[in-house]
Amino acid sequence: PEVYYPTRRNELITKRAILRWVILTLIQIIILYNFSLYALVAHGGGITSAFLGLMRNKNPKIPGNGESGDLKNVQIVGFSSLIILLALKVIYESRTIIIGQFPACSCSKKSEGWPSRLAYTWIGIVWLSIGFYIFHIMIYQIIGYAGPSDFSSYVDLVNHAFGTRTRSWMVLILTPIACMAIDVLGKLVSNVFYPTQTQIHVEIFRKLREKYDG
């Protein structure tokens, strides 16, 4: 069948495609590393926002709460940026957003069953990916309060990194956006100059749809 034509011609996994993936991956790794490291690390103190921003209601006798730059803070902000980046990549690569219907459960006999009405994209991305991650780093922090254990390094880590550091939120927002911008640009160049049969068929379908819908 025609649907398998790109696979038979080995258009999806060519040396050019693999090289593009490798280059994009390396660029995104560099962005993740540099945005997380140099934006959060400073030599010595002095990068706290005390007593403004997220530090405005904190104890003025403890200004060090807003400082950052240690390994744990850089690690959790960088890894959180990576989780959000991967979620955005899944949406972009799948080319599908299933928003579902609200409410998912309906008493009407004419409506579809609830499995067909669920917002699978938002359930998978928001709840089962990002939400799952946030839930567990908060649980690790709570377990760490119980006493010395493997989770002791998480004690007050989330509160410190995201509750007192405005810069952490800036990194968390800007890093995935910068990485996705590079990704979109790379695919744009590839689709314009080296389109696959799949991309050509997608464009033909889009034009036909616009023609008949218009």
Side-chain angles (χ1 to χ4, degrees):
E2 289 300 319
V3 70
Y4 299 115
Y5 186 70
T7 307
R8 294 203 307 267
R9 292 190 58 187
N10 197 28
E11 288 187 348
L12 303 181
I13 306 179
T14 62
K15 292 181 179 179
R16 185 176 65 246
I18 294 174
L19 179 62
R20 186 183 73 234
W21 294 340
V22 171
I23 293 175
L24 287 175
T25 301
L26 291 175
I27 293 175
Q28 290 175 343
I29 289 173
I30 292 172
I31 293 174
L32 274 169
Y33 177 80
N34 285 281
F35 273 42
S36 300
L37 183 65
Y38 295 109
L40 299 174
V41 173
H43 299 289
I47 58 172
T48 176
S49 61
F51 290 94
L52 301 171
L54 295 177
M55 285 288 292
R56 64 185 179 277
N57 295 321
K58 303 300 179 181
N59 187 348
K61 296 181 180 180
I62 314 177
N65 269 347
E67 296 289 354
S68 178
D70 61 305
L71 179 61
K72 292 188 293 183
N73 278 275
V74 174
Q75 166 210 340
I76 193 169
V77 175
F79 192 76
S80 299
S81 300
L82 176 61
I83 294 295
I84 296 176
L85 172 61
L86 292 176
L88 294 175
K89 285 275 290 181
V90 168
I91 294 177
Y92 183 65
E93 294 291 347
S94 63
R95 302 178 183 177
T96 303
I97 298 179
I98 303 175
I99 60 175
Q101 298 181 27
F102 183 83
C105 297
S106 175
C107 297
S108 175
K109 294 182 179 180
K110 296 182 180 180
S111 65
E112 298 176 316
W114 63 267
S116 300
R117 296 168 61 91
L118 289 175
Y120 285 101
T121 297
W122 308 125
I123 292 174
I125 297 299
V126 177
W127 297 108
L128 298 181
S129 295
I130 299 175
F132 185 83
Y133 168 72
I134 294 174
F135 173 77
H136 278 83
I137 60 176
M138 294 299 294
I139 290 296
Y140 292 163
Q141 179 174 263
I142 294 173
I143 295 175
Y145 285 124
S149 67
D150 292 338
F151 299 96
S152 297
S153 59
Y154 285 92
V155 172
D156 214 30
L157 177 59
V158 180
N159 293 338
H160 177 76
F162 298 110
T164 64
R165 298 283 300 150
T166 306
R167 191 174 296 191
S168 297
W169 288 101
M170 294 175 62
V171 172
L172 195 64
I173 295 171
L174 295 177
T175 303
I177 292 176
C179 290
M180 285 305 300
I182 296 297
D183 202 320
V184 172
L185 179 61
K187 286 182 173 57
L188 174 63
V189 173
S190 174
N191 292 338
V192 169
F193 295 102
Y194 308 101
T196 63
Q197 287 297 318
T198 301
Q199 184 63 31
I200 293 173
H201 292 157
V202 168
E203 292 297 326
I204 293 174
F205 176 76
R206 183 181 63 82
K207 290 184 179 298
L208 289 175
R209 187 174 180 179
E210 290 178 353
K211 178 181 178 181
Y212 289 107
D213 289 347

